[in-house]
Amino acid sequence: MDRHEELLRTTTTTALLDGLFNADDGVVWQVFDERYRPIMVGVGRRLGLTDSEAEDVAQETLLQFLRDYRAHRYDRDKGRLRGWIAGIARHRVIDYQRKRGRRRERAGEVTALLEIPDDSGIAELWDQELERSILRQSVEELRRNTRTSEKSIRAFEMILFEQQTVEAVAEDLGMKTHDVYVARSRVTAKLREIAERLRSLYEVDP
């Protein structure tokens, strides 16, 4: 296992934060980026941004976070890391909505800005997207590191991520409906332990 993979799978966010002060350690920053970028992209999409806009917001948010953090502007005693990063992302989303509105006005279109949730609303979206990210990571780890059949994992993904019915999944994968239910149950049980371990990596010590 190389250092990047080891940090990604075993290092808490607290330890990553300590490592971010070393500007020469690009691996720590890469791991932090990979851990939090999917959450911010998901939040951006939930707030009405296009995929490319959400990616841009995530990039700008992460870079601003890094600059501010290395300038010692984050005080762990005054709030959670999630709230600080989400606050940066919220302002970037507002900026993108305003730019979009101005472009449409110049094109003669009438448009209204979507309402952006307050800090508590953004925090709620963040938590939801965090759980989505952890679940997807858990599924990929299950796929890589266990002997769980690909058909069982795929059945789980189709039901949960693609919102397909058990009957549709059974037909598509050539399974009996009973076997689909069993596969979903077994995969869910195996994912709980993986997800709990991954969830602990996002915790930040006060």
Side-chain angles (χ1 to χ4, degrees):
M1 183 187 304
D2 62 18
R3 182 165 177 260
H4 168 269
E5 185 68 17
E6 182 179 2
L7 290 175
L8 190 65
R9 293 175 57 184
T10 65
T11 305
T12 66
T13 289
T14 298
L16 291 179
L17 287 172
D18 292 339
L20 286 179
F21 285 116
N22 182 1
D24 295 326
D25 194 340
V27 176
V28 168
W29 171 243
Q30 183 182 0
V31 170
F32 189 92
D33 180 291
E34 290 180 22
R35 187 169 291 176
Y36 285 96
R37 182 182 294 269
I39 302 172
M40 286 182 281
V41 170
V43 170
R45 289 171 177 157
R46 298 278 294 277
L47 294 176
L49 298 183
T50 64
D51 288 350
S52 62
E53 288 172 338
E55 291 284 356
D56 287 345
V57 162
Q59 175 74 4
E60 292 172 8
T61 298
L62 283 163
L63 291 177
Q64 182 176 339
F65 158 78
L66 183 61
R67 289 192 297 268
D68 290 350
Y69 185 74
R70 286 178 173 166
H72 300 279
R73 293 174 186 153
Y74 170 55
D75 186 347
R76 296 181 191 178
D77 295 332
K78 293 184 178 179
R80 298 177 62 184
L81 178 70
R82 175 199 66 181
W84 188 35
I85 299 178
I88 297 173
R90 182 176 185 272
H91 288 295
R92 297 288 75 76
V93 170
I94 291 173
D95 288 343
Y96 264 79
Q97 286 209 356
R98 287 173 177 166
K99 291 176 184 177
R100 182 194 296 171
R102 287 195 292 270
R103 288 197 301 269
R104 290 180 176 176
E105 286 176 3
R106 287 195 295 269
E109 300 177 18
V110 178
T111 185
L113 295 178
L114 295 175
E115 183 177 351
I116 301 298
D118 60 15
D119 288 344
S120 63
I122 292 291
E124 183 177 350
L125 289 179
W126 178 283
D127 288 343
Q128 292 170 3
E129 291 303 318
L130 169 61
E131 289 303 314
R132 288 174 186 267
S133 179
I134 288 173
L135 181 57
R136 290 188 181 278
Q137 291 177 65
S138 300
V139 169
E140 289 309 312
E141 184 166 325
L142 184 71
R143 179 175 271 123
R144 288 194 311 269
N145 300 329
T146 75
R147 296 182 178 179
T148 306
S149 72
E150 177 60 27
K151 184 174 285 190
S152 293
I153 295 174
R154 185 67 193 124
F156 176 88
E157 290 178 319
M158 292 171 71
I159 293 170
L160 191 68
F161 298 144
E162 300 171 21
Q163 300 294 301
Q164 296 194 37
T165 66
V166 169
E167 291 73 19
V169 172
E171 181 177 357
D172 188 70
L173 297 179
M175 301 171 67
K176 297 178 180 179
T177 55
H178 170 75
D179 293 336
V180 173
Y181 281 114
V182 170
R184 181 179 64 179
S185 177
R186 289 177 176 172
V187 169
T188 299
K190 291 178 180 180
L191 288 176
R192 286 196 184 102
E193 182 176 351
I194 299 174
E196 188 62 28
R197 178 177 54 78
L198 292 176
R199 194 174 290 112
S200 70
L201 298 181
Y202 287 85
E203 296 175 359
V204 179
D205 297 335

